[in-house]
Amino acid sequence: MALNWRRVESLTKPAEFDNVSTAAGIYVRKNIEKITVTAENEEEIEKYTYLECLMTEGEYNNYILQKYITSNILDEDDTPEYQTYKNKLNEPIQYTNGFYYKPKWAEKVYLNLINIGTMFPFMFPKRIFDVTDKYENSVEMTVEELKALAVFLANKQEEYFQEYKAARAVAKEED
């Protein structure tokens, strides 16, 4: 059964976990953000917006286990800043050849191809497809051309990572 997360607002900062408000289960809250809004009388009010889910004890235990695996085994976090970073790695960006490639491909796809091409140069040039997977949007690349594409994408990946770390630092200061 899928968890039912809903967007909630509060004037006070909520606890991430709340097992005392109701006997029906445990409230779990995530993506807690402090925002400032202007009321009808033009007074600025600070409030919190977040996702909230009422879980049974079993659902809560599974949720905590999943968080543990994500953070301690996969070495990822589940913050909004990290999700934004991961989403950016999957967004196509235009390269100098006019075609679009995903930054995550630098490491996940092209690094392996470059290593193969370095060991077995006779395998290149190789046809490299862009995000559309259309033949007309593919380019025959040498190992050096593929390296240049991979460096371009890796630099974007690093730029996004630095943005993520800066956003996390700000979010931690606000906590």
PDB file of all heavy atoms in Angstrom, residues 59 78 102 153 161 167:
ATOM      1  N   GLU A  59       4.118   0.566   8.982  1.00  0.00           N
ATOM      2  CA  GLU A  59       4.527   1.478   7.913  1.00  0.00           C
ATOM      3  C   GLU A  59       5.687   2.359   8.373  1.00  0.00           C
ATOM      4  O   GLU A  59       6.640   2.602   7.627  1.00  0.00           O
ATOM      5  CB  GLU A  59       3.352   2.362   7.482  1.00  0.00           C
ATOM      6  CG  GLU A  59       2.278   1.623   6.720  1.00  0.00           C
ATOM      7  CD  GLU A  59       1.020   2.454   6.517  1.00  0.00           C
ATOM      8  OE1 GLU A  59       0.737   3.358   7.345  1.00  0.00           O
ATOM      9  OE2 GLU A  59       0.308   2.189   5.521  1.00  0.00           O
ATOM     10  N   ASP A  78      17.595  12.194   1.707  1.00  0.00           N
ATOM     11  CA  ASP A  78      16.252  12.354   1.151  1.00  0.00           C
ATOM     12  C   ASP A  78      15.750  13.780   1.320  1.00  0.00           C
ATOM     13  O   ASP A  78      14.561  14.018   1.394  1.00  0.00           O
ATOM     14  CB  ASP A  78      15.280  11.343   1.755  1.00  0.00           C
ATOM     15  CG  ASP A  78      15.104  11.525   3.256  1.00  0.00           C
ATOM     16  OD1 ASP A  78      15.841  12.311   3.862  1.00  0.00           O
ATOM     17  OD2 ASP A  78      14.216  10.869   3.819  1.00  0.00           O
ATOM     18  N   LYS A 102      22.438  13.960 -20.914  1.00  0.00           N
ATOM     19  CA  LYS A 102      22.189  14.077 -19.476  1.00  0.00           C
ATOM     20  C   LYS A 102      23.521  14.085 -18.719  1.00  0.00           C
ATOM     21  O   LYS A 102      24.385  13.248 -18.995  1.00  0.00           O
ATOM     22  CB  LYS A 102      21.330  12.916 -18.984  1.00  0.00           C
ATOM     23  CG  LYS A 102      19.933  12.919 -19.572  1.00  0.00           C
ATOM     24  CD  LYS A 102      19.128  11.747 -19.064  1.00  0.00           C
ATOM     25  CE  LYS A 102      17.724  11.772 -19.667  1.00  0.00           C
ATOM     26  NZ  LYS A 102      16.890  10.692 -19.110  1.00  0.00           N
ATOM     27  N   LEU A 153      29.941  17.285 -19.451  1.00  0.00           N
ATOM     28  CA  LEU A 153      28.855  16.813 -18.590  1.00  0.00           C
ATOM     29  C   LEU A 153      29.310  16.674 -17.138  1.00  0.00           C
ATOM     30  O   LEU A 153      28.552  16.995 -16.212  1.00  0.00           O
ATOM     31  CB  LEU A 153      28.311  15.480 -19.113  1.00  0.00           C
ATOM     32  CG  LEU A 153      27.637  15.551 -20.485  1.00  0.00           C
ATOM     33  CD1 LEU A 153      27.326  14.146 -20.998  1.00  0.00           C
ATOM     34  CD2 LEU A 153      26.386  16.397 -20.437  1.00  0.00           C
ATOM     35  N   PHE A 161      26.394  19.750  -8.080  1.00  0.00           N
ATOM     36  CA  PHE A 161      26.745  19.233  -6.762  1.00  0.00           C
ATOM     37  C   PHE A 161      27.098  20.379  -5.819  1.00  0.00           C
ATOM     38  O   PHE A 161      26.692  20.378  -4.650  1.00  0.00           O
ATOM     39  CB  PHE A 161      27.913  18.249  -6.863  1.00  0.00           C
ATOM     40  CG  PHE A 161      28.285  17.632  -5.545  1.00  0.00           C
ATOM     41  CD1 PHE A 161      27.500  16.635  -4.986  1.00  0.00           C
ATOM     42  CD2 PHE A 161      29.413  18.056  -4.863  1.00  0.00           C
ATOM     43  CE1 PHE A 161      27.832  16.066  -3.764  1.00  0.00           C
ATOM     44  CE2 PHE A 161      29.753  17.494  -3.640  1.00  0.00           C
ATOM     45  CZ  PHE A 161      28.964  16.496  -3.097  1.00  0.00           C
ATOM     46  N   ALA A 167      23.030  24.716  -0.881  1.00  0.00           N
ATOM     47  CA  ALA A 167      21.632  24.710  -0.436  1.00  0.00           C
ATOM     48  C   ALA A 167      21.478  23.909   0.856  1.00  0.00           C
ATOM     49  O   ALA A 167      20.716  24.287   1.747  1.00  0.00           O
ATOM     50  CB  ALA A 167      20.729  24.140  -1.526  1.00  0.00           C
TER      51      ALA A 167
END
